[in-house]
């Protein structure tokens, strides 16, 4: 089996750019084509740390896993990319994503208390981000969703360094 240090875990709070960053990492680490249609085959689905040793959806083959767990739950020996996104944008995205009732759209003001309390047992956005900042180590890169939008080339150049570290 490959050592955990040869894998990259994408760690995000829900609705913070997980799929977009999965795609970027899959291109950087696996030199795949730019066909977004097969992203779910290349990047393991959202996993919890106790599952990282299990071959999930191509995880062993492509060396990328995604998780919404806090960064502190990962060993320092594995490489991690943490994406942080403006909490207001996360709030609006989560409201839209989790409001699948088919009826009239839920007002974001009605969703705000849910978001501030804990989004699907992942804790609060604030606690998640503070945990990432506190537990960042030499194998972790923290990037913002906004930097991907505003300075894509330099941000991706920074992210590409994680694939070369300790391999």
């Amino acid at each position: 089996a490959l050592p955990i240090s040869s894998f990259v875990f994408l760690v995000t709070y829900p609705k913070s750019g997980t799929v977009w960053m999965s795609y970027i990492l899959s291109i950087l680490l696996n030199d795949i084509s730019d066909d977004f249609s097969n992203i779910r085959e290349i990047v393991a689905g959202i996993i919890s740390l106790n599952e990282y040793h299990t071959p999930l959806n191509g995880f062993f083959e492509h060396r990328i896993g995604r998780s919404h767990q806090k960064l502190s739950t990962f060993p320092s020996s594995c490489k991690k990319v943490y994406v942080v996104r403006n909490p207001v944008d996360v709030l609006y995205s989560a409201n839209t994503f989790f409001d699948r009732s088919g009826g009239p759209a839920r007002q974001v003001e009605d969703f705000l208390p849910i978001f501030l309390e804990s989004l699907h047992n992942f804790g609060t956005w604030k606690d998640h981000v503070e945990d990432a900042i506190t537990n960042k180590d030499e194998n972790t890169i923290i990037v913002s969703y906004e930097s991907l939008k505003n300075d894509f080339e330099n941000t991706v150049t920074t992210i590409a360094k994680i694939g070369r570290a300790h391999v």
Side-chain angles (χ1 to χ4, degrees):
L2 295 171
I4 190 72
S5 61
S6 67
F7 297 96
V8 174
F9 287 92
L10 169 57
V11 183
T12 64
Y13 192 74
K15 309 314 299 169
S16 295
T18 310
V19 175
W20 188 20
M21 183 55 73
S22 298
Y23 184 63
I24 292 167
L25 285 172
S26 66
I27 291 171
L28 292 173
L29 297 175
N30 297 299
D31 195 29
I32 64 161
S33 71
D34 59 354
D35 182 4
F36 193 75
S37 64
N38 63 349
I39 193 67
R40 301 221 188 274
E41 297 169 13
I42 293 170
V43 180
I46 301 296
I47 59 175
S48 62
L49 185 61
N50 61 356
E51 297 172 329
Y52 77 83
H53 62 280
T54 306
L56 294 171
N57 195 19
F59 181 58
F60 272 153
E61 182 181 351
H62 297 288
R63 303 184 318 138
I64 304 169
R66 300 182 292 172
S67 181
H68 292 318
Q69 285 188 271
K70 289 183 177 179
L71 192 67
S72 60
T73 62
F74 290 87
S76 60
S77 59
C78 68
K79 293 175 277 189
K80 296 144 314 252
V81 174
Y82 187 89
V83 180
V84 61
R85 186 178 184 188
N86 180 312
V88 174
D89 293 334
V90 173
L91 168 68
Y92 278 91
S93 180
N95 181 54
T96 302
F97 181 81
F98 293 116
D99 183 23
R100 307 250 175 167
S101 63
R106 174 179 53 208
Q107 296 298 309
V108 74
E109 294 82 8
D110 296 332
F111 183 66
L112 183 60
I114 297 167
F115 181 75
L116 293 175
E117 181 65 28
S118 177
L119 190 58
H120 283 273
N121 299 318
F122 296 112
T124 66
W125 176 92
K126 179 180 180 284
D127 290 344
H128 208 276
V129 172
E130 285 178 350
D131 177 82
I133 293 167
T134 302
N135 292 287
K136 181 183 184 295
D137 58 37
E138 68 278 355
N139 285 324
T140 305
I141 293 176
I142 297 177
V143 297
S144 73
Y145 183 93
E146 292 74 21
S147 69
L148 280 167
K149 286 176 59 178
N150 299 328
D151 190 9
F152 185 79
E153 185 175 337
N154 284 327
T155 305
V156 169
T157 300
T158 299
I159 296 164
K161 295 174 185 174
I162 197 79
R164 295 190 295 271
H166 305 290
V167 175

